[in-house]
Amino acid sequence: MAFTLRLGTAFLVLLLFSCAAEAGEVGVNYGMVANDLPNPASVVQLLKQNGITMVKIYDANATVLTSLANTGIKAMVMMPNQNLAHAARDPVYAAQWVQDNVKKYLPRTQINAVAVGNEVFDDPNVDKMTLVPAMKNVQKALADLGLANAVKVSTPIAFSAVRDSFPPSGSRFRDDIAQPVMKPMLQLLQRTGSFLTVNIYPCLTQMQQPDDIPLDYALGNAQHAVLDGSNKYYSLLDAQLDATHYAMEALGFGNVEAVLGETGCPNKGKIGKHRPPRRGVGSSRRRLLDDGGSEPEASVANARAYNNYVINRVLSGNTGTPHRPRADMHVYIFALFNENNKSADPDDVENNFGLFYPNMQKIYDFNFRGGGGGGGQPPAGPAAASWCVANAAVGDDRLQQALDYACGHGADCSAIQPSGSCFEPDTKLAHASYAFDSYYQRNGRATSACDFSGAASIVYQAPAVTCSSAKPSWCVAKPGAGGAQLQQALDYACGHGADCSAIQSGGSCFQPDTVAAHASYAFNSYYQRNGRARVACDFSGAGSIVYQQPSFCAATASWCVANPGVGDARLQTALDYACGHGADCRAIQPGGACFQPDNKASHASYAFNGYYQRNNRARVACDFSGAGSIVYQQPKVGNCVLPSNAG
């Protein structure tokens, strides 16, 4: 087949790259400006228990970094502002700092970035002209140690570095920093494959401009778009991110990624003397989640809504912005704990950004493993199932308005059209519940995605409705589509995230060897991986959604095993990585059930397969720089049969 012949090494590299790049990750800022926090070892256990895989700290605390060893949690460490002048003028000092605070802890602690300073432009005690020289010296020190690919250098800037932030397309960096600092900084970031770190706080912007910015726009739940040319903004976060993108582009750097170094919403308190935010835009003051107090925007309800909006958006893969629809979104939520020494006033919002109280109890529900967090009392355990249903009490007019919004903003409402499979019962309540739930599920079950101005609510028992928006469906090649059209669409699907390994020559689903059969397999993989969005089964008319399971290979069992030919040293490196990043390696420890045979290839096969299965058998999860291979016959390691999660 033409497809099989064209899927050579270059295409496989492209496929693996696109699978790895089309994602975001969400972590937390672990601040320690408090006198009542738990010890770092307990904090690391808290991170692990809650599925938090990425953390940023505001120094290079030895106890924290030691506690993170062998956890697989990625850490961004920070060179404090007071060190910048010395690091800028003395490369030997910068090299020693890197040796003492980065190299010393690798590879057991997975340090993946160094933040050189923090919001330097807003610190009157730091000469901003020292920032880029310090970054260059730190980066050179990493390069000299062979760490430049694994550990990136960046610096967090406050959003106040951007001027004229609305409309986003007109945004620029401040005149005092644009040419002398930002341009050489962006040159360094581009040259080294690094990213700009920016701290953005839509909630604080709204709190200081409540008459200009609707609260739902700040929380990511706006039902009316703010326009900038052809771009439509339904969240202030997107507008501020794109303002940063446009500011970089104005200096000629349109391909540098922006990472959210801090974002969050206070759970209580007054805004006090927090730095003034950049100007936003809005139409009217609306307090959708006011739960009392002198400043109702600073509330548990709003913190829960905003942070769940961000967490669930990243985990669902909905990471693009109107200006950069294909952008990744890597985020550090601020902050892990309420920190009681950030301000002398206990009611200042600065003390109240935590996800947890210092006793390690959650302040509100959230879930870093996916599945949303919301109001009410969900059942115990991770990723509790939930649904969004209509509230009959608001009346048909408000239900119709919200129904129209949901259907116009991503909900798949085809089944509730006349003659559709869920048209009956033909009532506003039934149709609205279907549309609301489709919108809610497609937005990662974020609390803010089931508001609809009070017309909907989240429930934790499956609703008694005739139809469910989660009805199983599949995407297949449309009968009558020509071979050339199918081949083009097949290549697109395999190149944009579909796992097409099983339809390669020798793969478990290679037969029948026809374009239509291979296209159906690839289309369905792409469709399922994109949340069964209707648009993900279009393929310019070559795909069709069906509601009866077709007879193609959809969930073939597969395993990941070691390639002994790479040698024991490479196998050991990959084995350590797998065990440190989620594979359960207890059975291959001395005395474990799968310790025998005690050799690198057997132990590596066990670990690789554990990592591969835990990552949903994604092809990239069995790469290990060439040390792993996917097989379709169940292998054995000694007396241990390797498991598969295929269902």
Side-chain angles (χ1 to χ4, degrees), residues 54-201:
M54 191 167 68
V55 65
K56 178 160 72 75
I57 59 177
Y58 290 86
D59 50 21
N61 185 288
T63 306
V64 173
L65 293 175
T66 301
S67 298
L68 287 167
N70 300 317
T71 64
I73 297 173
K74 292 183 280 292
M76 181 187 291
V77 300
M78 183 173 290
M79 173 182 280
N81 287 359
Q82 59 264 32
N83 298 72
L84 296 192
H86 204 169
R89 66 175 179 263
D90 187 354
V92 175
Y93 173 84
Q96 190 62 51
W97 190 94
V98 169
Q99 181 71 39
D100 294 342
N101 296 284
V102 180
K103 179 65 167 64
K104 175 181 177 181
Y105 299 99
L106 294 170
R108 296 175 70 239
T109 299
Q110 193 180 345
I111 298 173
N112 68 342
V114 175
V116 178
N118 187 51
E119 299 191 345
V120 169
F121 305 141
D122 288 358
D123 188 339
N125 299 313
V126 179
D127 178 2
K128 60 180 177 285
M129 298 307 297
T130 65
L131 178 56
V132 175
M135 293 174 67
K136 288 182 176 179
N137 284 341
V138 170
Q139 199 281 330
K140 183 178 185 303
L142 290 166
D144 289 345
L145 291 169
L147 300 175
N149 290 330
V151 184
K152 297 302 180 183
V153 172
S154 187
T155 186
I157 64 171
F159 188 61
S160 56
V162 178
R163 65 173 177 85
D164 303 325
S165 63
F166 195 85
S169 58
S171 298
R172 303 292 185 267
F173 289 113
R174 286 178 358 214
D175 292 342
D176 63 313
I177 60 173
Q179 291 295 328
V181 184
M182 292 306 304
K183 187 169 184 177
M185 181 200 299
L186 291 167
Q187 287 173 336
L188 173 66
L189 299 178
Q190 183 181 67
R191 177 175 63 82
T192 60
S194 190
F195 48 85
L196 179 67
T197 307
V198 58
N199 299 342
I200 293 178
Y201 287 93

Side-chain angles (χ1 to χ4, degrees), residues 559-583:
W559 297 263
C560 180
V561 297
N563 176 9
V566 303
D568 280 0
R570 284 178 61 187
L571 288 179
Q572 184 65 57
T573 300
L575 168 62
D576 292 341
Y577 179 88
C579 292
H581 290 77

Side-chain angles (χ1 to χ4, degrees), residues 241-306:
L241 263 175
D242 272 350
T244 307
H245 293 148
Y246 278 111
M248 289 194 288
E249 290 169 17
L251 292 177
F253 298 91
N255 59 346
V256 175
E257 183 182 17
V259 166
L260 280 166
E262 293 179 14
T263 194
C265 194
N267 52 67
K268 70 173 183 177
K270 301 177 182 179
I271 201 165
K273 297 180 180 179
H274 196 280
R275 62 182 179 274
R278 304 305 300 163
R279 184 81 177 161
V281 66
S283 56
S284 63
R285 187 175 193 174
R286 285 192 287 170
R287 300 181 174 186
L288 299 185
L289 293 174
D290 179 353
D291 66 353
S294 59
E295 293 201 33
E297 291 90 342
S299 68
V300 168
N302 290 336
R304 176 176 58 217
Y306 178 76

Side-chain angles (χ1 to χ4, degrees), residues 558-616:
S558 57
W559 297 263
C560 180
V561 297
N563 176 9
V566 303
D568 280 0
R570 284 178 61 187
L571 288 179
Q572 184 65 57
T573 300
L575 168 62
D576 292 341
Y577 179 88
C579 292
H581 290 77
D584 184 351
C585 297
R586 290 173 293 181
I588 53 173
Q589 302 305 308
C594 297
F595 181 70
Q596 296 297 338
D598 180 15
N599 59 60
K600 289 289 188 295
S602 296
H603 288 187
S605 287
Y606 188 95
F608 292 0
N609 188 62
Y611 181 85
Y612 175 66
Q613 302 299 334
R614 283 172 180 264
N615 285 276
N616 298 316

